[in-house]
């Protein structure tokens, strides 16, 4: 007995948990993670200047560990009355796009955490919020003097965003904390009663949302933190209460600035869906703060048909027309929101002009689901409709002055088809400060990603709505990836581009095609990753066993030569995607000439450790016509992996016995499936995945059928159901505060238990306070440490 007990005590921790302080990966990897970030840019409406926004680095785990409320599908910092997890800008500079002169904004707050940038209509001022440890204040940046000043105390209510709007007379309409809301509700020592949910027999399928309300106290907390008072703030910081307080989710001024559309949340709250689907009233206020019309009373959105083409009944997508002073337009489903109902008119768009006392006007209808309107003027607009099940997209030219004008179909394509995508309209600013289509007669200026068999080569074009043809005005040229980010004049002969190359850090350039002068570089951001400048990057193509064309981006260490240096261990990283057409699925995505940008979750770090990396490895799952892609998920997934492995081995780069596969979220799901149904890999890395599809029974990813409609599909695709087949070492990593629909942390916990119970070699790493994407510096470095140790042990040094 004592011998047996001693043997049990000295066993490796096959049945035990272990704690470990935060570790770091090799210095070469850590240095890349800690490299300074590149500023982001935000352009003025005229394009005369740009805001250079310098962001802070990754927060510490101590920052993430601050008190946080997870209620109604939101994450709230109770100390600030704002979001608990958001990036921040720590410095702002202004750069003139024509002269390149750069000016530092003076007077910014110490230890700034800036957000919510908004330019006044005349672009003389920028409003911005600053978050401290105790609240959120409003600041003003004078763009003529380049001076910043504080306008208010910490009164901003940023729980649901959309905190401020500029009025035409340069005042700021601010969503502030209601000063009369009282004290924060205190949790009762004992509950007042049980928590009860009830249904009356109507089907109410729901996604697996997280952070929902669970009791009466959380309802009180939600109402408390949502309680807002709108205020008008002038340039001197004087504030005036505007209208009655309420729980405002959205505040939107009309283009002429004479009306405000308010979305005001009301009870009953729900324990089944997030706050975005709570009941609310849509009210129209005048500029005295008086409610002149309750436009719509939107009910609780708990009961909705299944499928990605399902929607709500009643008014939805209520917006202001960009080309009119004060005209509302919105959509109403005619099929009960159920895409499976066969109707001639599926959606109808209505309009209503100020002062909103007349009858709504039937404006347009769709055979598919409404997809949006791009406005130009009263004679020209582009009307979009779509159908997710078939990936169908249709764009029509309509005449807004003629309601129910069926218009002309100018684009009809698969939304997945990147080779035949003419792109999106270029927008300009009209007299109301709103974005409208930039065009010259029948020619609409467009920008496209420029998908091609050689990869993406973005371009600027005109698309003629009469002939349905495009004329390319400018196109990115190899060996660069360059795209238009801002058009500066009415004939699109002058514009700003973002230009990058494999080793060329993205920078902004001023291009003039009319004057035929050399492009002028506006910014000069430095390369942040000097240590990997010499690595080799190659866009490779190969075929699946059924002839489908596939591609991947392969990285190898600096100076590597297969003939001289032999084969390398390989890390393959991927994310499956579903398609309704084999021809579309085989299209090449991405570009060989993109700058090698490293994110926290990138697999590229291991090129510094002597690995070959197969990134963006295509894993298409195709279901043509009436067939669903997921009916063939496993067989096509395995075929994709086999083709990728054959390529990297046949090219002389990879060692067939030393290949790992990994992915995040649905890529983790893919990884677990590949290890369940093949012996192709030496190891796997699965981060923040979902493995038991019975926990997402009303659909997942692009699967529209419910578990009860397709139980075989759910069971066959779920790695949890095949845990007994896994013989390959698999590393599971998951954020303990994951808020992504479907990827509850319990998914990894239960999958790990299933693997452990069947004798698999596995390790489960839970990251405290981390969500679906990891944020804290300590968490990111430790994640890379875990992945590195796993790869070294089970791949590079595989016995």
């Amino acid at each position: 007995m004592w011998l047996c007990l001693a043997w049990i005590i000295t066993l490796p921790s096959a049945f035990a948990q272990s704690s470990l302080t935060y570790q770091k990966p090799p210095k070469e990897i850590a240095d890349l993670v800690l490299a300074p970030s590149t500023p982001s840019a935000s352009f003025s409406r005229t394009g005369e200047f740009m805001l250079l926004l310098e962001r802070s680095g990754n927060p510490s785990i101590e920052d993430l560990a601050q008190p946080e409320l997870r209620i109604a599908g939101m994450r709230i910092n109770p100390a600030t009355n704002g979001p608990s997890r958001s990036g921040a800008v720590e410095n702002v500079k202004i750069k003139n796009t024509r002269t390149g002169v750069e000016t530092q904004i003076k007077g910014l707050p110490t230890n700034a955490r800036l957000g919510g940038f908004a330019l006044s209509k005349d672009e003389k001022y920028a409003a911005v919020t600053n978050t401290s440890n105790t609240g959120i204040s409003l600041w003003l940046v004078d763009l003529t003097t380049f001076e910043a000043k504080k306008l208010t105390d910490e009164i901003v209510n940023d729980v649901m965003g959309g905190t401020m709007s500029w009025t035409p007379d340069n005042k700021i309409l601010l969503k502030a904390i209601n000063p009369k809301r009282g004290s924060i509700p205190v949790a009762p020592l004992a509950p007042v009663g049980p928590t009860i949910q009830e249904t009356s027999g109507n089907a109410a399928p729901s996604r697996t949302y997280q952070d929902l309300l669970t009791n009466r106290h959380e309802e009180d907390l939600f109402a408390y933190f949502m309680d807002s008072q709108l205020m008008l703030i002038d340039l001197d910081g004087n504030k005036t209460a505007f209208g009655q307080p309420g729980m405002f989710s959205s505040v939107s001024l009309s283009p002429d600035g004479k009306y405000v559309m308010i979305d005001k949340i009301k009870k009953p709250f729900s324990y089944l869906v997030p706050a975005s689907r709570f009941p609310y009233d849509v009210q129209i206020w005048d500029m005295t703060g008086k409610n002149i019309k309750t436009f719509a009373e939107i009910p609780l959105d708990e009961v909705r048909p299944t499928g990605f083409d399902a929607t709500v009944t009643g008014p939805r997508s209520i917006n202001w027309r960009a080309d009119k002073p004060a005209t509302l337009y919105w959509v109403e489903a005619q099929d009960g929101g159920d895409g499976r109902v066969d109707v001639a008119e599926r959606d109808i768009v209505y309009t209503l002009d100020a002062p909103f006392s007349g009858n709504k006007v039937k404006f347009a209808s769709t055979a598919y689901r409404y997809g949006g309107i791009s406005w130009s003027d009263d004679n020209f607009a582009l009307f979009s409709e779509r159908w997710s099940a078939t990936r169908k997209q249709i764009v029509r030219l309509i005449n807004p002055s003629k309601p129910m004008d069926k218009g002309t179909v100018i684009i009809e394509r698969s939304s997945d088809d990147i080779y035949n995508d003419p792109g999106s309209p270029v927008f300009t600013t009209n007299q109301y400060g709103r974005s409208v289509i930039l065009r010259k007669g029948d020619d609409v200026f467009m920008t496209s990603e420029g998908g091609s068999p050689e990869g993406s080569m973005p371009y600027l074009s005109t698309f003629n709505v009469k002939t349905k043809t495009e004329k390319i005005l400018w196109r990115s040229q190899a060996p660069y990836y360059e795209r238009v980010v801002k058009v500066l004049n009415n004939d699109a002969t002058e514009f700003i581009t973002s230009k990058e190359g494999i080793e060329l850090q993205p920078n902004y350039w001023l291009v003039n095609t009319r004057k035929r002068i050399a492009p002028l570089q506006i910014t000069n951001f430095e390369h942040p990753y000097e240590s990997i400048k010499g690595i080799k990057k190659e866009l490779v193509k190969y075929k699946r066993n059924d002839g489908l064309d596939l591609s991947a981006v392969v990285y190898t260490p600096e100076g590597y030569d297969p003939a001289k240096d032999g084969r390398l261990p390989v890390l393959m990283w991927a994310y499956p995607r579903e398609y309704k057409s084999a021809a579309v699925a085989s299209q090449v995505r991405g570009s060989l000439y993109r700058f090698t940008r490293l994110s926290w979750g990138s697999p590229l770090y291991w090129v510094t450790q002597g690995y070959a990396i197969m990134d963006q490895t295509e894993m298409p799952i195709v279901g043509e016509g009436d067939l669903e892609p997921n009916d063939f998920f496993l067989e096509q997934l395995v075929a994709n992996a086999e083709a990728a492995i054959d390529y990297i081995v046949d090219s002389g780069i990879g060692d067939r016995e030393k290949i790992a596969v990994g992915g995040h979220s649905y890529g983790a799901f893919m990884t677990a499936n590949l290890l369940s149904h093949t012996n192709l890999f030496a190891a796997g890395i699965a981060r923040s995945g979902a493995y038991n599809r019975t926990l997402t029974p009303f659909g997942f990813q692009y699967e529209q059928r419910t578990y009860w409609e397709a139980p075989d599909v759910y069971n066959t695709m779920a790695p949890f159901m095949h845990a007994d087949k896994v013989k390959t070492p698999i590393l599971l990593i998951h954020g303990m505060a994951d808020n992504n629909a479907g990827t509850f942390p319990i998914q990894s916990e239960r999958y790990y238990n299933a693997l452990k119970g069947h004798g698999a070699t596995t390790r489960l790493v839970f990251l405290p306070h981390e969500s679906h994407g990891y944020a804290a510096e300590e968490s990111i470095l430790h994640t890379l440490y875990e992945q590195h140790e796993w790869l070294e042990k089970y791949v590079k040094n595989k016995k």
Side-chain angles (χ1 to χ4, degrees):
M1 181 181 68
W2 289 109
L3 287 173
C4 182
L5 179 60
W7 176 78
I8 292 172
I9 291 173
T10 56
L11 271 175
S13 56
F15 302 99
Q17 295 177 336
S18 61
S19 60
L20 182 70
T21 57
Y22 287 105
Q23 301 294 304
K24 294 181 179 180
K27 186 176 185 301
E28 298 91 340
I29 294 177
D31 287 347
L32 290 171
V33 173
L34 301 176
S37 60
T38 300
S40 59
S42 177
F43 291 91
S44 64
R45 285 186 288 273
T46 61
E48 180 182 347
F49 63 87
M50 58 199 294
L51 298 166
L52 295 181
L53 309 177
E54 298 177 358
R55 298 189 176 274
S56 54
N58 294 308
S60 69
I61 193 64
E62 184 176 346
D63 293 330
L64 289 194
Q66 297 301 309
E68 177 183 65
L69 286 175
R70 302 174 188 174
I71 53 175
M74 301 186 299
R75 295 190 168 181
I76 300 169
N77 184 335
T80 65
N81 221 101
S84 61
R85 295 168 182 267
S86 59
V89 172
E90 60 183 8
N91 190 34
V92 183
K93 296 177 181 178
I94 305 296
K95 180 176 279 288
N96 188 291
T97 55
R98 298 185 186 279
T99 66
V101 174
E102 187 174 292
T103 307
Q104 171 66 52
I105 298 296
K106 299 178 181 178
L108 292 171
T110 305
N111 299 320
R113 292 159 60 193
L114 307 175
F117 291 83
L119 289 175
S120 61
K121 183 179 176 182
D122 60 12
E123 299 196 330
K124 292 181 178 179
Y125 304 97
V128 61
T129 61
N130 181 60
T131 303
S132 73
N133 291 332
T134 56
I136 305 173
S137 54
L138 180 66
W139 287 64
L140 180 75
V141 178
D142 188 324
L143 296 173
T144 61
T145 64
F146 307 108
E147 294 279 348
K149 69 177 182 179
K150 186 177 180 180
L151 281 185
T152 72
D153 294 330
E154 294 175 333
I155 64 171
V156 178
N157 190 334
D158 195 22
V159 167
M160 288 195 80
T163 56
M164 56 190 168
S165 303
W166 282 93
T167 65
D169 58 347
N170 276 354
K171 292 182 180 178
I172 301 166
L173 183 60
L174 178 72
K175 191 193 300 183
I177 297 168
N178 182 3
K180 299 179 181 180
R181 71 178 179 178
S183 301
I184 186 170
V186 178
L189 181 61
V192 296
T195 297
I196 299 171
Q197 298 186 58
E198 182 178 3
T199 180
S200 58
N202 293 323
S206 178
R207 294 188 71 194
T208 47
Y209 296 108
Q210 303 202 43
D211 301 337
L212 301 179
L213 295 176
T214 61
N215 56 52
R216 180 68 60 84
H217 175 60
E218 289 185 352
E219 290 189 53
D220 293 340
L221 286 172
F222 172 76
Y224 175 82
F225 284 102
M226 283 294 298
D227 194 4
S228 302
Q229 171 67 61
L230 298 182
M231 293 186 179
L232 280 171
I233 316 291
D234 68 18
L235 298 178
D236 294 319
N238 300 309
K239 54 183 182 291
T240 305
F242 183 82
Q244 296 299 310
M247 295 183 288
F248 306 123
S249 60
S250 175
V251 179
S252 173
L253 268 72
S254 61
D256 63 2
K258 294 182 179 180
Y259 302 94
V260 184
M261 180 168 58
I262 306 289
D263 289 355
K264 189 175 183 180
I265 292 177
K266 60 185 181 182
K267 293 185 176 182
F269 302 149
S270 172
Y271 294 6
L272 188 63
V273 293
S276 58
R277 294 174 66 169
F278 287 3
Y280 63 97
D281 290 342
V282 181
Q283 300 177 350
I284 308 299
W285 295 5
D286 63 19
M287 291 311 292
T288 69
K290 178 183 177 182
N291 178 18
I292 62 173
K293 184 181 181 65
T294 298
F295 174 77
E297 296 182 359
I298 309 298
L300 175 64
D301 179 19
E302 276 190 348
V303 180
R304 189 185 292 192
T306 58
F308 296 111
D309 292 308
T311 189
V312 296
T313 57
R316 73 178 196 275
S317 301
I318 306 169
N319 290 293
W320 298 105
R321 271 185 64 167
D323 63 328
K324 289 284 189 178
T327 296
L328 291 170
Y329 71 102
W330 69 96
V331 192
E332 295 184 20
Q334 306 300 298
D335 55 6
D338 190 346
R340 293 171 294 189
V341 174
D342 188 15
V343 292
E345 287 184 320
R346 193 164 296 280
D347 280 339
I348 294 179
V349 179
Y350 295 96
T351 64
L352 182 64
D353 295 328
F356 318 107
S357 56
N359 295 321
K360 64 183 182 182
V361 175
K362 191 174 179 181
F363 179 76
S365 65
T366 70
Y368 299 103
R369 198 59 82 198
Y370 167 79
I373 302 176
S374 297
W375 302 95
S376 176
D377 54 40
D378 204 31
N379 299 304
F380 193 107
L382 298 181
F383 185 97
S384 176
E385 52 187 296
R386 55 168 179 77
W387 199 243
S388 294
T390 59
R391 315 298 198 270
K392 192 178 187 67
Q393 180 188 35
I394 293 176
V395 178
R396 285 186 280 148
L397 170 67
I398 61 171
N399 185 339
S401 67
K402 299 178 180 178
M404 292 307 293
D405 171 38
K406 292 192 175 183
T408 305
V409 174
I410 61 170
I411 299 172
E412 186 169 0
R413 56 182 289 272
S414 166
S415 57
D416 289 335
D417 183 358
I418 60 173
Y419 286 6
N420 297 291
D421 181 8
S424 303
V426 173
F427 291 93
T428 188
T429 304
N430 65 7
Q431 68 270 33
Y432 304 117
R434 300 300 174 97
S435 295
V436 293
I437 296 170
L438 179 64
R439 66 184 180 92
K440 184 181 291 185
D442 294 328
D443 288 331
V444 176
F445 291 100
M446 308 272 279
T447 55
S448 173
E449 179 65 12
S452 75
E454 287 70 45
S456 295
M457 302 296 287
Y459 61 82
L460 171 70
S461 70
T462 56
F463 186 91
N464 189 282
V465 296
K466 291 290 180 64
T467 64
K468 306 177 188 178
T469 57
E470 60 182 352
K471 177 183 178 182
I472 296 180
L473 306 176
W474 171 93
R475 187 164 199 156
S476 177
Q477 299 295 318
Y480 303 108
Y481 176 89
E482 190 172 9
R483 58 188 177 86
V484 174
V485 295
K486 183 70 179 179
V487 173
L488 300 178
N489 58 6
N490 290 333
D491 59 3
T493 56
E494 189 173 44
F495 45 89
I496 297 171
T497 68
S498 174
K499 182 179 181 180
E500 60 189 277
I502 296 176
E503 295 184 2
L504 183 68
Q505 159 83 318
N507 272 289
Y508 293 98
W509 293 70
L510 178 64
V511 178
N512 192 309
T513 59
R514 180 175 53 194
K515 294 183 179 179
R516 300 184 182 279
I517 57 177
L520 175 67
Q521 186 170 350
I522 303 172
T523 61
N524 191 24
F525 303 135
E526 295 182 357
H527 195 301
Y529 314 120
E530 290 290 333
S531 65
I532 60 169
K533 260 190 169 182
I535 66 172
K536 182 180 179 181
K537 177 180 180 181
E538 184 180 9
L539 177 65
V540 302
K541 304 174 188 178
Y542 48 93
K543 288 185 180 293
R544 199 165 74 179
N545 56 16
D546 58 0
L548 191 73
D549 291 321
L550 300 175
S551 64
V553 180
V554 174
Y555 298 83
T556 51
E558 180 178 3
Y560 169 73
D561 183 347
K564 296 180 181 178
D565 303 321
R567 297 184 180 275
L568 301 177
V570 178
L571 174 56
M572 182 188 300
W573 207 260
Y575 190 95
R577 300 189 185 279
E578 298 88 342
Y579 298 92
K580 295 296 293 179
S581 162
V584 170
S586 65
Q587 293 179 349
V588 175
R589 285 166 171 78
S591 170
L592 169 63
Y593 306 116
R594 296 294 308 253
F595 177 67
T596 305
R597 175 74 65 189
L598 296 177
S599 65
W600 69 266
S602 173
L604 302 187
Y605 296 103
W606 281 274
V607 78
T608 69
Q609 304 300 304
Y611 289 76
I613 310 299
M614 288 193 81
D615 196 18
Q616 302 173 49
T617 310
E618 291 290 344
M619 293 281 174
I621 311 297
V622 184
E624 300 266 13
D626 294 332
L627 301 175
E628 290 295 330
N630 283 343
D631 292 339
F632 312 98
F633 181 84
L634 290 181
E635 60 194 76
Q636 293 193 31
L637 184 67
V638 171
N640 293 329
E642 289 176 336
I645 290 173
D646 286 344
Y647 172 82
I648 202 70
V649 172
D650 292 346
S651 66
I653 296 173
D655 182 339
R656 190 180 292 273
E657 301 301 317
K658 296 184 177 183
I659 300 177
V661 63
H664 187 86
S665 193
Y666 206 54
F669 173 77
M670 168 208 74
T671 298
N673 264 304
L674 284 171
L675 301 195
S676 297
H677 300 284
T678 76
N679 291 314
L680 297 171
F681 298 97
I685 298 171
R687 293 195 316 240
S688 299
Y691 309 104
N692 186 345
R693 284 305 169 193
T694 66
L695 298 180
T696 56
F698 289 105
F700 59 91
Q701 207 70 5
Y702 277 102
E703 179 53 64
Q704 302 191 73
R705 296 166 295 185
T706 70
Y707 175 80
W708 297 272
E709 292 172 322
D712 289 344
V713 170
Y714 277 68
N715 290 327
T716 300
M717 290 180 65
F720 180 85
M721 306 301 180
H722 306 282
D724 59 317
K725 300 176 183 176
V726 177
K727 307 303 179 188
T728 303
I730 180 170
L731 172 64
L732 305 176
I733 304 176
H734 214 122
M736 294 180 70
D738 194 329
N739 65 340
N740 184 56
T743 55
F744 297 95
I746 197 174
Q747 288 272 9
S748 287
E749 179 185 347
R750 293 304 178 202
Y751 186 48
Y752 170 78
N753 285 335
L755 292 169
K756 180 182 68 173
H758 287 95
T761 299
T762 183
R763 180 178 174 90
L764 172 61
V765 180
F766 270 140
L767 300 172
H769 306 294
E770 292 294 349
S771 188
H772 194 58
Y774 314 152
E777 180 179 303
E778 294 91 336
S779 300
I780 292 170
L781 291 173
H782 188 85
T783 295
L784 297 174
Y785 160 81
E786 293 283 355
Q787 294 178 178
H788 178 72
E789 293 297 310
W790 201 256
L791 292 171
E792 290 290 288
K793 181 175 183 179
Y794 293 109
V795 182
K796 180 185 282 188
N797 300 309
K798 178 184 176 182
K799 302 293 185 184

